[in-house]
Amino acid sequence: TLGLVIAALLGGPVAKVLIERNALTPEPQGETGLGLSFAEEAATRITPVEFTRTMFVLHVVIIVGSVLHEGIEAMGLTLPLFVPCMLVAILVGNLMPYQTRMPPVAHGAALALISDFALGTFLAMSLMSMQLWAMAGAGMMLAVSLVLQTLLMLGFVAVVFRLMGRTYFAAVLSAGFVGYGLGATPTAIANMNAVTKTYGPAPRAFVIVPLISAFFLDLANAAVIQFFLLF
């Protein structure tokens, strides 16, 4: 949880430095549905029908994902619950535009609003559950570890930024990298949300970070952890 705090504090400023020092601007984008800018939030009106429709689709995705998760566990493979839910969401989001009974929700303002609310709620719950007294005995060791990890992460951000092309997209991706490297996937998304609300959209970053941090790395972790448990 301390990692979440540090990641949330550093992600935005890191992207701000990269963007302003290199005079980066977002590329022209179409409709992304990945979040609303501050100006769009103030001007957007979401109807009750649109909100209810979006919540209905989200609940269906979670229910189907939960059933899929039980099937995966029955096969002996351990994965976090959100991984099969995310797989189902990817399928639903890409298939909904091809049916005519219900308008797609993937590019709607309601989904962007629900996403921001859910993300903020998760981070607040994580911070409220932090039990500082439980870490009293390892305070110094924990502090040294966090400082070293933070310095290592900030150093590697420069590598990520250069490898990804030194563009605005690379700067947003760097904010997400800080969020995940020191915290977790929700922190990465929150960091990128904060940057794009201020400077402009970067849809590719919102595709890459969740797929890598919340899907491929969890699959790799499942295999690695099972391998070491054999010993």
Side-chain angles (χ1 to χ4, degrees), residues 1 42 52 94 175 200 209 231:
T1 305
T52 305
N94 283 277
V209 170
F231 297 96

Side-chain angles (χ1 to χ4, degrees), residues 36 43-52 54 108-114:
L36 301 175
T44 299
R45 181 180 181 274
I46 300 172
T47 65
V49 173
E50 182 183 3
F51 184 86
T52 305
T54 303
L111 181 61
L113 178 65
I114 293 169

Side-chain angles (χ1 to χ4, degrees), residues 156-170:
F156 203 73
V157 163
V159 178
V160 172
F161 181 64
R162 284 174 171 79
L163 287 178
M164 299 310 296
R166 299 173 62 90
T167 61
Y168 174 76
F169 152 74

Side-chain angles (χ1 to χ4, degrees), residues 17-18 35 52-53 63 129 149 169 198 207 221:
V17 170
L18 293 175
T52 305
R53 182 190 303 120
I63 292 170
S129 66
Q149 289 184 57
F169 152 74
T198 302
V207 174
N221 273 336

